[in-house]
Amino acid sequence: MLEYRWKPLAMALVLKEFKSIWYMDSSIRWLKPEMYKYYDMLRCKHPYVISIVSKNVSLLQTLLLIYQFTHQAINFRKYRNAVSNCTKSEYLLMNGNYHGIYSTTNFGTYDFLPTDKERLKEVTELQAGFALIARTKDAMDTLKWYVLCALEKECMAPKNSSIKCKFGKDMYHAEPTCHRFDQSIINLILTNKYNFTTSYYFSQYTSAFAVRRSATEKIDLTNLTNCER
């Protein structure tokens, strides 16, 4: 379990049944009911993969929703650009990080997923615990390699892998002292696929949620997101 090789397998199984899924670690907290912004980033290419309007919603209600979404989007440049450019990966990671991929990836992984290590040293490793994944050819190609790596222990969990990192001042170019297992792998697959450019697979819109890992935090049930919106 602590090698996290089960994660991509669980995703693949669920995507056999559903057209799209959210993968969220238990630390994720929705702050605003703005899932539609992320849906729009993918719907621009695949309008029928993700649907948020119920068949029971009237035409007037639908038009009001569209107006509301469009009006609110005006103030969010990155969101607007993501939709208009329509270049986001259908395996979309939601949250950034403070260190690079190179400094948190065991060298044994490169025997299975080779890369340009010098270019990798400049790339931020995004958090793997929050993702929107659509069942498209693009995302399934990404997930295929993710699953194959998970099935090979030495790919996702090479010898001497430890999740605890000892960072110095340089969190990008330093030799790795740890390995982030599934997170290292999905970032490596995506950055190889998108020419070391995170903007293609990072939503870049992060104000709708928060990551809270405190074990003592009390959850306010009144702020739970209305999933019907």
Side-chain angles (χ1 to χ4, degrees):
M1 293 292 288
L2 295 181
E3 294 175 351
Y4 305 97
R5 294 164 60 202
W6 54 269
K7 283 190 178 183
L9 304 181
M11 294 175 188
L13 286 172
V14 177
L15 278 166
K16 291 180 66 176
E17 182 176 355
F18 298 97
K19 291 183 179 180
S20 58
I21 64 170
W22 284 99
Y23 179 85
M24 296 186 290
D25 282 350
S26 59
S27 58
I28 303 301
R29 302 287 184 270
W30 283 106
L31 304 178
K32 306 174 185 177
E34 294 183 339
M35 286 85 85
Y36 65 87
K37 285 185 167 65
Y38 305 103
Y39 298 153
D40 286 347
M41 294 179 191
L42 307 190
R43 193 187 290 112
C44 61
K45 287 190 284 187
H46 301 281
Y48 300 108
V49 172
I50 298 177
S51 176
I52 61 169
V53 179
S54 168
K55 293 180 180 179
N56 297 323
V57 176
S58 69
L59 177 60
L60 177 59
Q61 288 174 307
T62 301
L63 292 174
L64 287 173
L65 283 171
I66 293 173
Y67 171 79
Q68 177 188 12
F69 296 166
T70 304
H71 179 71
Q72 290 179 349
I74 292 174
N75 296 321
F76 299 99
R77 178 177 57 84
K78 289 183 178 179
Y79 158 71
R80 185 175 65 246
N81 289 343
V83 175
S84 61
N85 294 336
C86 202
T87 57
K88 293 296 186 184
S89 166
E90 282 99 48
Y91 194 115
L92 192 63
L93 299 178
M94 299 293 132
N95 205 23
N97 222 325
Y98 58 90
H99 58 74
I101 301 174
Y102 178 82
S103 61
T104 57
T105 302
N106 188 307
F107 285 163
T109 290
Y110 302 131
D111 292 337
F112 300 88
L113 297 171
T115 190
D116 185 332
K117 294 180 184 177
E118 291 306 310
R119 295 186 69 187
L120 193 67
K121 291 178 180 180
E122 308 301 325
V123 183
T124 297
E125 182 173 280
L126 306 179
Q127 295 187 28
F130 193 16
L132 174 60
I133 311 162
R135 195 175 68 199
T136 64
K137 182 178 180 180
D138 168 70
M140 292 303 95
D141 177 69
T142 298
L143 189 60
K144 174 187 70 176
W145 293 107
Y146 201 16
V147 168
L148 287 173
C149 186
L151 292 174
E152 175 55 62
K153 178 179 173 64
E154 291 302 314
C155 179
M156 187 169 285
K159 293 179 181 178
N160 302 316
S161 292
S162 172
I163 201 168
K164 294 183 179 180
C165 301
K166 296 179 181 179
F167 290 120
K169 292 183 179 180
D170 188 345
M171 299 182 183
Y172 281 77
H173 301 84
E175 296 300 294
T177 60
C178 61
H179 181 68
R180 289 296 170 87
F181 298 96
D182 62 301
Q183 183 165 283
S184 296
I185 302 308
I186 191 58
N187 274 270
L188 185 55
I189 292 170
L190 287 168
T191 203
N192 277 347
K193 185 173 184 176
Y194 292 99
N195 197 28
F196 303 88
T197 307
T198 58
S199 60
Y200 286 112
Y201 56 91
F202 178 28
S203 74
Q204 298 178 294
Y205 182 73
T206 59
S207 63
F209 63 88
V211 180
R212 295 173 180 165
R213 296 191 172 95
S214 173
T216 59
E217 179 189 8
K218 293 183 179 179
I219 299 176
D220 184 357
L221 297 179
T222 62
N223 289 330
L224 288 179
T225 298
N226 180 359
C227 295
E228 295 298 320
R229 293 185 62 179

